């Protein structure tokens, strides 16, 4: 059995990359990604600029959209709707987590 | 090769129609898909359901699967001799192959062969793994050993299950729900296709003292009533060792004091903060003298915290 050592890299919104790099990393054609930008699944950090940039954390969204498309056989509008709702759920869950963290435990 | 009953997985009879197969798959996918539900073992169950659907929805694959006959699930079996001849090259062994790899290889060879028979590059598969680490590990960075069961292709282009152990260095900057990419550590690309990546979802073990919100930490800090009134300097634990915190006079319960830069380190630079939440605690069983002093305080104090309630 081989053991391989490798260095990890955080998918953090502060790292940015181009549409071509996003396509390369996700293994999706640029045309699909453009369609998702049009549908609002995917937001560039600079929607007005000629060359779009994306936060590296968008890769997570692209992979989610990709799984939903394949596993639920959804068309682009359906993908956009589900991704929007799931991201809202995730935002709410993270808010609940934050509130729990800030809530003092009862000290006996 | 171990037999899997794809019809039973989808809750169907062997004579189910294509429409029934699709309907049943969609129902089970909504129930178990890890992106849309929190069903325990959802991921495992969804994989089984998806594998069954992947084969049964395709007419050619379904015919080939049906020709394997019916066995009990998990039972070791050999495909009929003419089946082996039709679906493999000479010298190929079915012994250590997974049924799902066998059927995905069917579509692999079909999809990736161009019109003139030229094989196009096949990118390696991306893998995903979950890892739970402690808060201390997130603070310092750590090394994880991941055991993955993946399919890899042999020289003749057939997939086999292999166990791979990957040592991953988790740099500082982790927090709950963050994802890490290990470049090129997914499946191997074929015909010049890129290697897949490995993605790790990080979750943190709950810590007995600190609660996490992004890169900030929260800690309950108990104070005595007199410390709260008079102010005090108290020792506070942090992930990087103890620090002394000045509690100002007149501190209220629930007030937060920020200890800058003592949270979790952020990926590129800087760190979150540590917030100490003040908790005024009373002695559970005061001594006689303590009671006397509190009584004296009660007699002379004019402080009324409920004034606003009495006014309304």
């Amino acid at each position: 059995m081989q053991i391989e050592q490798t260095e990890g890299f955080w998918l953090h919104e502060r790292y940015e990359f181009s549409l071509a790099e996003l396509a390369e990393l996700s293994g999706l054609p640029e045309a699909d990604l453009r369609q998702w930008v049009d549908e609002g699944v995917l937001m560039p950090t600079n929607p007005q600029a000629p060359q779009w940039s994306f936060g590296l954390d968008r890769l997570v969204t692209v992979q989610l959209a990709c799984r939903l498309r394949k596993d639920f056989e959804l068309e682009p509008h359906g993908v956009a709707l589900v991704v929007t709702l799931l991201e809202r759920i995730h935002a709410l869950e993270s808010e609940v987590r934050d509130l729990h963290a800030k809530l003092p435990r009862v000290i006996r | 090769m171990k037999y899997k009953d794809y019809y039973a997985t989808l809750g169907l009879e062997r004579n189910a129609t294509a429409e029934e197969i699709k309907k049943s798959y969609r129902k089970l996918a909504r129930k178990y898909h890890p992106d849309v539900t929190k069903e325990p073992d959802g991921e495992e169950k969804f994989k089984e359901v998806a594998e069954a659907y992947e084969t049964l929805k395709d007419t050619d694959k379904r015919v080939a699967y049906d020709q394997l006959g019916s066995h009990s699930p998990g039972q070791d079996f050999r495909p009929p001799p003419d089946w082996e001849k039709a679906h493999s090259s000479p010298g190929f062994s079915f012994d250590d192959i997974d049924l799902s790899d066998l059927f995905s290889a069917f579509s692999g060879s079909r999809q990736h062969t161009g019109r003139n028979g030229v094989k196009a590059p096949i990118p390696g598969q991306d893998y995903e793994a979950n890892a739970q680490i402690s808060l201390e590990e997130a603070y310092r960075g750590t090394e994880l050993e991941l055991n993955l069961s993946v399919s890899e292709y042999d020289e003749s282009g057939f997939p086999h299950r292999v166990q791979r152990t990957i040592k991953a260095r988790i740099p500082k900057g982790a927090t709950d729900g963050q994802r890490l990419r290990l470049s090129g550590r997914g499946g191997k690309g074929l015909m010049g296709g890129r290697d897949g990546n490995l993605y790790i979802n990080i979750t943190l073990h709950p810590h007995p003292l600190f609660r996490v919100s992004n890169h900030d930490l929260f800690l309950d800090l108990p104070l005595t009533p007199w410390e709260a009134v008079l102010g005090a300097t108290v020792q506070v634990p942090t992930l990087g060792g103890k620090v002394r915190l000045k509690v100002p006079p007149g501190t209220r319960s629930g007030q937060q004091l920020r200890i800058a830069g003592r949270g979790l380190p952020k990926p590129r630079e800087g760190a979150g903060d540590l917030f100490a939440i003040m908790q005024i605690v009373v002695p559970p069983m005061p001594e006689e003298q303590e009671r006397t002093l509190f009584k004296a305080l009660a007699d002379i104090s004019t402080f009324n915290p409920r004034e606003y309630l009495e006014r309304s």
Side-chain angles (χ1 to χ4, degrees):
Chain A
M1 188 162 60
Q2 293 169 273
I3 295 186
E4 300 153 45
Q5 165 103 37
T6 191
E7 188 75 18
F9 188 79
W10 292 118
L11 300 184
H12 193 267
E13 74 258 14
R14 283 203 295 177
Y15 297 101
E16 288 200 349
F17 59 163
S18 68
L19 186 71
E21 286 167 314
L22 186 59
E24 164 72 31
L25 271 177
S26 61
L28 288 174
E30 283 188 30
D32 287 20
L33 295 175
R34 280 181 196 283
Q35 193 177 24
W36 281 345
V37 172
D38 284 346
E39 288 281 353
V41 175
L42 195 61
M43 261 317 247
T45 53
N46 54 348
Q48 306 306 327
Q51 292 289 325
W52 284 334
S53 306
F54 299 88
L56 195 47
D57 61 333
R58 291 298 91 196
L59 186 56
V60 179
T61 309
V62 170
Q63 288 168 334
L64 170 68
C66 211
R67 284 194 299 269
L68 293 170
R69 179 171 72 175
K70 175 175 169 284
D71 296 340
F72 291 101
E73 303 170 320
L74 294 177
E75 35 75 48
H77 181 65
V79 172
L81 179 68
V82 181
V83 168
T84 311
L85 291 176
L86 283 178
E87 292 203 325
R88 234 171 89 186
I89 291 175
H90 292 156
L92 289 170
E93 282 174 341
S94 114
E95 214 176 304
V96 170
R97 257 206 317 274
D98 284 5
L99 289 172
H100 271 294
K102 288 171 190 164
L103 210 63
R105 291 191 194 135
V106 180
I107 295 181
R108 273 171 281 186
Chain B
M1 183 158 52
K2 296 252 186 291
Y3 187 73
K4 294 181 196 172
D5 191 336
Y6 288 155
Y7 291 100
T9 303
L10 292 177
L12 295 167
E13 299 293 325
R14 293 186 80 88
N15 59 5
T17 64
E19 194 50 43
E20 284 168 338
I21 290 172
K22 188 184 204 168
K23 227 167 122 181
S24 173
Y25 164 75
R26 289 192 165 176
K27 216 163 111 188
L28 291 167
R30 279 199 303 276
K31 183 163 182 210
Y32 293 125
H33 198 288
D35 284 323
V36 300
T37 65
K38 292 209 186 308
E39 190 87 17
D41 310 324
E43 190 165 353
E44 267 322 295
K45 284 186 185 147
F46 176 72
K47 269 188 199 155
E48 287 167 20
V49 168
E51 180 187 329
Y53 182 58
E54 208 47 50
T55 296
L56 296 186
K57 75 171 176 186
D58 180 307
T59 322
D60 294 348
K61 286 193 208 175
R62 186 177 175 187
V63 168
Y65 174 77
D66 287 345
Q67 284 166 355
L68 292 173
S70 183
H71 309 264
S72 9
Q75 187 194 333
D76 245 317
F77 77 105
R78 281 194 75 83
D82 51 333
W83 198 98
E84 287 194 20
K85 223 192 289 171
H87 297 291
S88 75
S89 42
F92 176 76
S93 154
F94 282 95
D95 291 340
D96 64 337
I97 194 162
D98 190 272
L99 206 51
S100 66
D101 292 334
L102 186 62
F103 283 103
S104 57
F106 277 30
S107 57
S109 55
R110 270 208 312 257
Q111 275 169 12
H112 293 282
T113 308
R115 250 174 309 176
N116 33 19
V118 179
K119 294 216 167 167
I122 308 172
Q125 222 189 322
D126 286 340
Y127 299 146
E128 243 188 279
N130 297 315
Q132 210 177 33
I133 61 174
S134 70
L135 203 51
E136 286 82 1
E137 287 173 322
Y139 180 76
R140 287 189 306 262
T142 187
E143 208 171 88
L144 284 181
E145 217 172 83
L146 297 162
N147 292 307
L148 300 174
S149 164
V150 298
S151 38
E152 271 179 9
Y153 292 84
D154 62 18
E155 303 82 55
S156 42
F158 272 95
H160 288 271
R161 287 273 127 175
V162 287
Q163 288 292 330
R164 271 172 72 194
T165 300
I166 293 175
K167 268 198 181 161
R169 172 99 206 111
I170 312 290
K172 285 196 288 190
T175 186
D176 232 359
Q178 205 150 19
R179 309 227 313 174
L180 190 73
R181 175 170 64 94
L182 301 177
S183 189
R185 286 293 174 234
K188 293 264 168 283
L190 288 178
M191 316 290 163
R194 67 165 179 101
D195 287 344
N197 297 314
L198 169 64
Y199 293 92
I200 306 179
N201 301 318
I202 302 281
T203 49
L204 298 176
H205 282 296
H207 191 277
L209 293 180
F210 303 109
R211 299 185 296 273
V212 186
S213 165
N214 290 317
H215 289 89
D216 293 335
L217 298 177
F218 290 83
L219 166 79
D220 290 325
L221 186 69
L223 296 176
T224 62
W226 46 96
E227 281 171 337
V229 172
L230 305 173
T233 302
V234 296
Q235 227 178 39
V236 178
T238 76
L239 289 173
K242 293 189 168 114
V243 296
R244 291 173 76 75
L245 178 69
K246 224 176 125 142
V247 177
T251 293
R252 293 186 313 275
S253 227
Q255 229 177 322
Q256 294 179 3
L257 288 181
R258 188 171 73 107
I259 310 175
R262 289 293 186 153
L264 290 172
K266 291 181 179 171
R268 206 146 59 169
E269 61 196 19
D273 302 324
L274 170 64
F275 291 87
I277 308 176
M278 302 300 130
Q279 292 287 315
I280 298 171
V281 195
V282 299
M285 276 183 287
E287 309 260 318
E288 194 46 45
Q289 205 188 348
E290 285 177 305
R291 286 184 61 90
T292 313
L293 287 169
F294 272 116
K295 180 77 178 57
L297 181 61
D299 290 344
I300 57 126
S301 178
T302 55
F303 174 52
N304 180 9
R306 290 175 302 278
E307 202 187 336
Y308 73 103
L309 292 177
E310 287 157 13
R311 266 191 279 118
S312 55

